[in-house]
Amino acid sequence: MTAAPSITDAVLADRYDLIVVGAGACGLVAALAASDAGCSVVVLEKLDSPGGNTTLSTGSVPGAGTRFQREAGIEDSPARMVEDLLRTSGPHDAEHLVELMAETSAEVIEWLVDDHDIGLHLITDYKHVGHSVARLHAPSDRNGANLTADLVRAVSRAHVPIVTGTPVTSLTTSDGRVTGVVAETPDGPRTITAGAVVLASNGFGADRSLLRELIPAMADAPYHGAAGSTGEGIAWAQQLGAPLANATAYQAYAAVATDEGDILSWTTVERGAVIVGPDGRRLGDESVGYSDFAGVIAAQTPESFAVMDERIHDYVARHEPRFVKIIDLGRVQRAADLDELAALIGCDVSALGATLDAAATAASGTAADEFGRTDFGTGGALQAPYFVCRTHPAMFHTQGGVSVDRDARVLDGAGEAIPGLYAGGGVAAGISGREGAGGYASGNGLSTAVGLGYAAGRHVGATTRAD
């Protein structure tokens, strides 16, 4: 068997059955699915390394009715997943994709694990935002970089070249059909033809001008998503007549712990932590989720403080190396008592004490929470010693994109598929509602990345080689 091409030594051919633009989860899964069907495939990535937002995520992919759930005694179904996601998102322009993601989710996850040795494991210790049962499947350390590494290894084993540092600058067309791309190579611009092109180059979170146009509330917020999310894939599809859908929806994160974008695990909140402002008072119902709560914080203060106790701190540290990282960076500080905690925050001790007393009463169920929070995870009062992390809200990725059908084919304004053009991940319309951050359920981004990548690759495999 010949050696699989590496990321750096691949030699580009003049034609492929499929060109994938972007080497995040969507593009890599599309490449695997098409390769499994016997297609010749190349993945072109404009940055110097693959991964995109997948690498920055927890690597969590929702799956309904997987064998891993059955083995854990968890009853779930695609219908239940659809109900959960639509309850979180409300009505929107891509509800057919919610159904697709749910119906194919178990098949996709088991295919990745069984056929391609991708390390996905069911998370059973919490359900996460928007899900009524445990259905997130993630790397054991909940680090998206490891999901990316597994996918890259699988693509390499399939002898599909991933060519980094090779930005695509435009699509080529003939008689209304997409026929390939123009890519910038070390030797200059080069036209590569293909039976089909999958746009998997993410959304427009890194494009401040587009944010000001479509999501002005987040245009000046810190951005901690992938640097390559500059929206050109969406623009190319629009030039061919594709309309935008769910254009102003996005995913934010309420608790970013460093200027470099390291996040405080939301597991801390799900197990009972509360978030307070600089005055020591809570800012709202944290259980609405890390995306929706980012806007709640941003409307009140540029920074906040996540307060937990030793039980929560030690539990998350045992399970999540990314939490250990921010501990090692000195971002999580210990306070022996309430006075020390107030000093670390810089707030009045009596105000902070009243906040924690009220939260403890609500967590015990003896009185309603002032913000309506009912889920306090492990329950009961936070107890000294305390731990606190200074955080800030930030923009992570957009959820609006072009309309696609259940095969991930890009649609024009009349609802007809544009021949030869597919999209997924951040290029395609997401499933997180029509606008804002409140419709985002945990895993929605990777759900459409993986699910639409799979749909696109399989459809190309079933049709393109016969064209």
Side-chain angles (χ1 to χ4, degrees):
M1 180 178 291
T2 59
S6 74
I7 290 173
T8 57
D9 66 7
V11 177
L12 284 171
D14 292 326
R15 190 186 190 284
Y16 295 88
D17 293 320
L18 175 64
I19 295 172
V20 177
V21 183
C26 179
L28 297 174
V29 169
L32 284 175
S35 176
D36 278 3
C39 291
S40 61
V41 185
V42 66
V43 181
L44 303 179
E45 168 58 49
K46 67 182 176 182
L47 300 183
D48 291 334
S49 60
N53 276 329
T54 301
T55 297
L56 302 176
S57 74
T58 62
S60 300
V61 184
T66 68
R67 75 164 185 271
F68 308 108
Q69 288 177 305
R70 292 193 296 274
E71 291 167 358
I74 295 168
E75 294 185 9
D76 197 9
S77 68
R80 184 171 185 173
M81 182 171 166
V82 169
E83 181 181 354
D84 286 349
L85 294 181
L86 290 179
R87 182 177 58 252
T88 301
S89 69
H92 60 82
D93 303 328
E95 293 182 23
H96 63 294
L97 296 184
V98 177
E99 295 173 356
L100 175 67
M101 296 305 100
E103 291 166 4
T104 61
S105 60
E107 174 186 339
V108 174
I109 287 170
E110 292 176 17
W111 167 75
L112 286 171
V113 173
D114 296 340
D115 290 16
H116 293 290
D117 197 27
I118 306 301
L120 294 173
H121 310 271
L122 179 66
I123 300 173
T124 58
D125 48 346
Y126 55 88
K127 292 177 293 189
H128 250 325
V129 177
H131 300 282
S132 62
V133 297
R135 64 167 65 102
L136 296 187
H137 300 70
S140 57
D141 62 355
R142 298 162 202 184
N143 187 342
N146 289 323
L147 174 58
T148 296
D150 279 356
L151 288 170
V152 167
R153 281 191 287 267
V155 170
S156 181
R157 287 193 297 269
H159 302 280
V160 172
I162 303 171
V163 187
T164 58
T166 306
V168 169
T169 57
S170 64
L171 302 177
T172 60
T173 62
S174 177
D175 297 326
R177 181 182 184 91
V178 173
T179 58
V181 304
V182 178
E184 190 63 45
T185 73
D187 298 322
R190 179 170 172 183
T191 298
I192 308 169
T193 62
V197 174
V198 173
L199 298 177
S201 53
N202 220 294
F204 56 90
D207 187 319
R208 293 289 180 180
S209 63
L210 273 175
L211 285 180
R212 287 192 175 89
E213 176 185 346
L214 295 172
I215 311 175
M218 298 301 291
D220 296 317
Y223 172 68
H224 291 307
S229 300
T230 48
E232 60 269 34
I234 294 173
W236 297 331
Q238 284 184 290
Q239 290 165 10
L240 296 176
L244 285 179
N246 299 333
T248 61
Y250 64 94
Q251 186 247 312
Y253 201 86
V256 180
T258 70
D259 291 341
E260 292 70 36
D262 299 288
I263 61 174
L264 172 70
S265 169
W266 205 247
T267 311
T268 56
V269 171
E270 289 168 330
R271 296 193 70 84
V274 296
I275 296 180
V276 302
D279 61 359
R281 294 178 171 84
R282 284 173 62 210
L283 299 165
D285 175 5
E286 301 90 347
S287 68
V288 298
Y290 52 80
S291 183
D292 199 7
F293 202 62
V296 175
I297 296 173
Q300 300 178 69
T301 177
E303 67 176 12
S304 55
F305 300 82
V307 178
M308 68 201 81
D309 62 14
E310 194 165 48
R311 296 171 303 162
I312 298 169
H313 173 277
D314 291 355
Y315 177 88
V316 182
R318 285 196 302 272
H319 289 84
E320 301 187 26
R322 295 178 78 172
F323 183 61
V324 176
K325 177 183 177 182
I326 66 170
I327 293 172
D328 292 342
L329 289 171
R331 303 298 299 180
V332 182
Q333 297 177 283
R334 185 181 187 276
D337 54 30
L338 185 64
D339 287 338
E340 284 191 16
L341 181 62
L344 288 171
I345 295 173
C347 66
D348 179 75
V349 67
S350 61
L352 181 60
T355 294
L356 296 187
D357 286 345
T361 301
S364 69
T366 57
D369 180 62
E370 62 178 312
F371 299 108
R373 179 175 175 177
T374 58
D375 187 355
F376 284 86
T378 53
L382 297 176
Q383 302 172 357
Y386 303 102
F387 290 83
V388 62
C389 181
R390 183 193 304 264
T391 60
H392 64 267
M395 175 76 180
F396 266 74
H397 59 83
T398 52
Q399 283 285 292
V402 298
S403 296
V404 300
D405 67 9
R406 289 174 60 97
D407 294 314
R409 295 180 298 177
V410 178
L411 303 177
D412 63 18
E416 299 295 324
I418 298 172
L421 187 62
Y422 298 76
V427 178
I431 57 174
S432 301
R434 285 201 177 100
E435 59 186 15
Y440 190 86
S442 293
N444 271 8
L446 275 175
S447 182
T448 52
V450 170
L452 289 175
Y454 183 73
R458 283 174 61 86
H459 192 264
V460 170
T463 61
T464 299
R465 286 175 60 81
D467 286 347

